[in-house]
Amino acid sequence: MPIKPIIDIAIGGTWDYIQLITTGTWQFESVLNDPAWATGWTYNYYFWWLAWGPFVGVFLAKISQGRPVWQYILGVVFVPTFVTIIWFSVFSGSAIAWEQTHNAGILVAIKADYTQGLFVFFEQLGWQGGLLIWSSLLLLLIFVATSADSAILVIRQLSGASDAQTWSLYAWSFALGLCAFVLLVQNNEPLNRSVAIIGALPFLIIFMLQLIGFIKEFTNELINEE
């Protein structure tokens, strides 16, 4: 495993990312000097997380009930960030080093379809690569399944359905599965982004209410402790 590229990406890439966050969070086009990039990615992901934020927030609050705030922040912010840095550094650093030494066509595959870059890299590793491919697919399946299950749980809670109302579980599961199936069949990335942006608008209100509720409850907790 090439250690130097991994360390370079882990340190240099993380530092560049921190600088971009602090200097470019609210100045997308001027910092990136590319309005098309900002529209296609930065703005899009802002709306994406506005749509996804209430689901994640309610789910994390439910499974973290009773834990102190520092444990919540550690488990939700710092641990996933550290794991993500390691993941991207190891695989991207290894792929870059392999491409430079073997000219394996990884860059060509990414330019054609960026979703294939990881699998093209794994194909260069023999039987270990095959094992990694199937492991990656399994992880993707687990991610989709757990995300869908969490989303359905949160939707039922937001809609006021009780655990005894099993019909709501099947109804929301069918609705969510149908939406996912339609978008999958369309295979249209701009359409997926548009749906995410449209879906984010009503959840923006929920997001703001959650923020107000959090500040209120946190303030009351501090007052009661004093």
Side-chain angles (χ1 to χ4, degrees):
M1 180 180 294
I3 301 299
K4 186 178 183 303
I6 294 175
I7 296 177
D8 290 342
I9 290 178
I11 298 177
T14 302
W15 176 245
D16 290 341
Y17 182 71
I18 293 174
Q19 287 183 311
L20 182 60
I21 288 180
T22 56
T23 59
T25 301
W26 307 106
Q27 305 175 32
F28 310 113
E29 297 179 10
S30 60
V31 173
L32 298 174
N33 197 26
D34 189 351
W37 170 271
T39 301
W41 289 95
T42 312
Y43 296 138
N44 172 72
Y45 271 98
Y46 258 9
F47 283 107
W48 175 273
W49 280 110
L50 282 176
W52 194 236
F55 293 97
V56 177
V58 172
F59 177 74
L60 291 176
K62 189 176 184 64
I63 65 175
S64 303
Q65 186 175 4
R67 296 185 179 276
V69 175
W70 71 267
Q71 288 185 1
Y72 179 84
I73 295 176
L74 179 65
V76 172
V77 178
F78 291 102
V79 172
T81 300
F82 178 75
V83 173
T84 301
I85 291 174
I86 298 299
W87 168 273
F88 278 101
S89 300
V90 170
F91 285 100
S92 61
S94 301
I96 291 173
W98 191 278
E99 177 71 12
Q100 291 175 340
T101 55
H102 295 80
N103 193 22
I106 300 174
L107 182 59
V108 175
I110 292 175
K111 288 183 177 180
D113 184 358
Y114 61 85
T115 62
Q116 298 300 315
L118 180 67
F119 300 105
V120 173
F121 170 56
F122 285 161
E123 288 175 354
Q124 314 298 318
L125 306 179
W127 68 268
Q128 297 96 331
L131 182 61
L132 288 172
I133 288 176
W134 285 106
S135 299
S136 300
L137 292 175
L138 178 61
L139 288 175
L140 287 172
L141 179 62
I142 293 174
F143 168 74
V144 172
T146 54
S147 298
D149 182 65
S150 303
I152 294 170
L153 174 68
V154 172
I155 291 175
R156 292 184 67 204
Q157 184 171 346
L158 293 177
S159 63
S162 63
D163 294 336
Q165 295 175 316
T166 55
W167 64 267
S168 65
L169 172 64
Y170 297 116
W172 284 115
S173 299
F174 176 78
L176 186 63
L178 181 62
C179 291
F181 176 77
V182 171
L183 293 175
L184 185 63
V185 171
Q186 292 295 322
N187 193 25
N188 189 327
E189 185 176 337
L191 175 62
N192 294 342
R193 294 183 178 184
S194 299
V195 171
I197 291 175
I198 294 173
L201 296 179
F203 283 104
L204 176 60
I205 301 175
I206 299 177
F207 183 81
M208 297 303 296
L209 292 175
Q210 284 182 325
L211 180 60
I212 295 173
F214 169 77
I215 295 175
K216 180 180 178 181
E217 289 297 325
F218 195 74
T219 303
N220 292 337
E221 187 73 19
L222 291 177
I223 294 175
N224 293 333
E225 288 183 357
E226 294 177 356

